[in-house]
């Protein structure tokens, strides 16, 4: 999919290149670690890596999980502690449990603009701190009630695009 | 991952081969079709195919979407009308919107047994009717509140396993 901003006329939104899409399971903190253990035991999931919330590393015995990446039948799934994540507040019945799909792109603002133009609502945005630095991250809710997290790639490679 | 039932001793659950894992977005019926149009417009998703609910084909003007498979940044996502799907009733606040991850396997019963042994709760099971015939499908909710649909593969290929 070529990125041609020149075509941004009329009703068509300019194309955005999404480099990855992953479901994210937001677990009532601090149970993300338990959840990963469960997915290993229940489904044979494999954990590829885990990052922790930098702000809480010092002042907690067990640091909160910013994101654990597991793989199950080829599907990458993120499992996170739902603490002060950039997420709409969960209903009491779900005990903080909520899910979303993370869409990674270098063009966060353009992707958000496209989604809003199509009918999504921007719930919030922030610069998320990670182990590897900071990245832009915005949350939109679509007209059907689902949450999408539009995020710059977690591991930002060299700024070479396909152009 | 070899399937060795002989190792089913002690605490270790026998391995199950999952052939696919896909997030499924259950949309308040009959808006699944609108949702797919939105994901195309908002994110540039591509629709690969769509199946309809056979029971309702005759008596409704627009048949309910059993499952539309879309692809977004390489991720296969199922979008479905949440009508009489084998799904826990959604809360009124979410207007029938709910999500799950579908795990496909030829070994549905064994996969469910493993999940329950690890702490999941079996919510229901049924034989789901599809355009292509019937398939076994069971719903489990994990200890963290997430729903998993353990299903026989939608398109059952020849019964040749890797063995």
């Amino acid at each position: 999919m070529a990125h041609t901003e020149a075509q941004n006329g009329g009703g068509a939104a300019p194309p955005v290149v999404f480099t990855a899409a992953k479901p994210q399971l937001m677990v009532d903190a601090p149970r993300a670690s338990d959840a990963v253990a469960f997915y290993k035991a229940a489904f044979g999931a494999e954990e590829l890596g885990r990052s922790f919330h930098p702000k809480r590393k010092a002042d907690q015995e067990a640091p909160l999980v910013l994101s654990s990446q597991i793989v199950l039948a080829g599907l990458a799934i993120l499992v996170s502690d739902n603490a002060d994540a950039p997420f709409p507040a969960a209903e009491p019945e779900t005990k903080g449990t909520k899910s979303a799909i993370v869409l990674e792109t270098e063009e966060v603002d353009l992707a958000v603009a496209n989604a809003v133009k199509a009918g999504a609502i921007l719930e919030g945005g922030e610069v998320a701190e990670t182990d590897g630095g900071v990245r832009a991250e915005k949350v939109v809710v679509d007209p059907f009630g689902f949450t999408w997290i539009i995020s710059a790639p977690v591991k930002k490679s060299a700024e070479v695009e396909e152009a």
Side-chain angles (χ1 to χ4, degrees), chain A:
Chain A
M1 211 184 297
H3 181 177
T4 50
E5 286 200 12
Q7 295 178 341
N8 184 12
V16 167
V17 176
F18 291 107
T19 53
K22 301 167 191 166
Q24 182 172 24
L25 305 180
M26 307 292 289
V27 179
D28 198 23
R31 299 186 71 208
S33 184
D34 294 340
V36 171
F38 171 84
Y39 300 134
K40 290 179 183 174
F43 303 128
E46 184 187 357
E47 185 175 22
L48 297 187
R50 186 180 291 203
S51 62
F52 295 96
H53 199 300
K55 283 183 183 167
R56 293 181 182 245
K57 244 176 188 166
D59 56 11
Q60 291 207 350
E61 289 181 16
L64 293 183
V65 174
L66 187 65
S67 172
S68 161
Q69 180 160 332
I70 63 173
V71 175
L72 183 46
L75 175 66
I77 302 174
L78 303 173
V79 182
S80 302
D81 275 319
N82 190 7
D84 52 357
F87 224 81
E91 293 80 30
E93 305 87 54
T94 59
K95 298 177 185 170
T97 298
K98 203 156 161 52
S99 63
I101 296 179
V102 177
L103 295 177
E104 294 184 7
T105 179
E106 297 283 357
E107 304 161 289
V108 170
D109 290 338
L110 180 57
V112 169
N114 287 350
V116 169
K117 188 176 181 182
I121 293 170
L122 177 61
E123 286 280 327
E126 65 174 52
V127 174
E129 277 191 76
T130 73
D131 283 353
V134 297
R135 69 172 191 274
E137 190 169 87
K138 295 192 174 177
V139 178
V140 300
V141 176
D142 74 30
F144 310 93
F146 299 105
T147 300
W148 301 77
I149 299 174
I150 298 176
S151 165
V154 175
K155 290 181 182 175
K156 200 167 187 173
S157 53
E159 293 186 3
V160 179
E161 287 199 52
E162 288 184 84

